[in-house]
Amino acid sequence: IRLAKFKGEAAEKPFASGGDDYPAGSWVIATQPGLRPVLEKVAADLGLHLDAADAAPAVPRHSLDLPRLALLQTCSDTQSAGWVRMIFDQETVPYALIMDEDVRKGGLRQRFDLILFPNTYESLKGIVNGIDPKFSPLPYTKTPQFPTHGSPTASADITGGLTWRGVGNLEEFVRQGGVLITLGNASALALDGGLAQVVRRARVKDVFTPG
């Protein structure tokens, strides 16, 4: 975001420059007015490795662009995702807030490149089932009695969770090339839900790592 006004490219293959090797995906940014002080501060703040070269590397590159980012906030646990929303808002990171019903509708890859699912206190069962449908319809909308409801998103019925259909839609999103990132206990979706087939939970004792 801080470098958005500067033109940059990403290397599509590994390359060597100045005696060092760089992996695919490395950024290549040509000298531009006002770039150096901004780039040096960003590198210092974010712990990025920064090198200078006399010429751009002879490697296929494409222009950098921001991914279409969605933040998944389940209706049964909005507080955990709220902390991530606060960080994104403070850093002016553009994102779309999606809820259970958005995932149930599917078509996620057509709208997004990356979906971030923040930490949640819910188990896989809680993520899938959400708020008990016996309370349906349970609207979350702005009303004269509750004028702060329905913001930043509204729903005519917040019960039902992701459902297994929604989990299938997330799997389809990943298989179509989308990136799904789960934080903390939200990884139950990927691990216990079978999306990450070759990953298993580590068995440890006397370790507690809150989100």
Side-chain angles (χ1 to χ4, degrees):
I1 301 301
R2 302 187 203 180
L3 300 174
K5 67 178 181 179
F6 301 105
K7 294 182 180 180
E9 297 176 308
E12 297 179 0
K13 296 181 179 180
F15 65 92
S17 177
D20 293 321
D21 294 324
Y22 298 88
S26 296
W27 288 14
V28 180
I29 304 178
T31 300
Q32 301 163 53
L35 171 64
R36 179 168 289 277
V38 176
L39 189 58
E40 290 178 346
K41 185 175 189 326
V42 169
D45 291 346
L46 303 181
L48 302 178
H49 181 68
L50 180 64
D51 281 328
D54 294 331
V59 63
R61 304 186 299 273
H62 62 263
S63 297
L64 290 169
D65 196 6
L66 292 174
R68 297 172 298 170
L69 170 63
L71 190 151
L72 172 55
Q73 175 179 285
T74 60
C75 295
S76 59
D77 182 10
T78 60
Q79 180 172 329
S80 299
W83 291 109
V84 178
R85 283 172 41 208
M86 182 183 74
I87 294 171
F88 283 174
D89 291 342
Q90 288 178 336
E91 297 295 329
T92 65
V93 175
Y95 68 95
L97 180 63
I98 61 174
M99 307 289 283
D100 308 78
E101 61 188 66
D102 298 299
V103 176
R104 293 196 298 263
K105 290 177 182 176
L108 298 170
R109 187 66 183 94
Q110 286 69 47
R111 292 182 286 160
F112 308 114
D113 302 306
L114 188 154
I115 296 176
L116 175 64
F117 189 9
N119 181 51
T120 176
Y121 68 82
E122 293 281 13
S123 63
L124 176 63
K125 179 180 179 180
I127 293 171
V128 172
N129 293 332
I131 299 173
D132 197 326
K134 72 180 181 182
F135 298 111
S136 178
L138 184 62
Y140 183 71
T141 55
K142 184 176 182 178
T143 65
Q145 185 179 6
F146 300 104
T148 59
H149 285 190
S151 178
T153 185
S155 174
D157 187 5
I158 61 174
T159 67
L162 294 185
T163 72
W164 287 111
R165 178 185 295 275
V167 175
N169 289 337
L170 287 171
E171 180 184 28
E172 182 181 57
F173 168 79
V174 173
R175 290 187 180 278
Q176 291 176 345
V179 176
L180 174 65
I181 297 177
T182 57
L183 304 181
N185 198 56
S187 296
L189 177 66
L191 296 175
D192 302 335
L195 300 185
Q197 297 184 19
V198 297
V199 182
R200 300 290 183 270
R201 289 181 180 271
R203 300 299 179 184
V204 294
K205 295 182 179 179
D206 302 324
V207 174
F208 176 59
T209 56

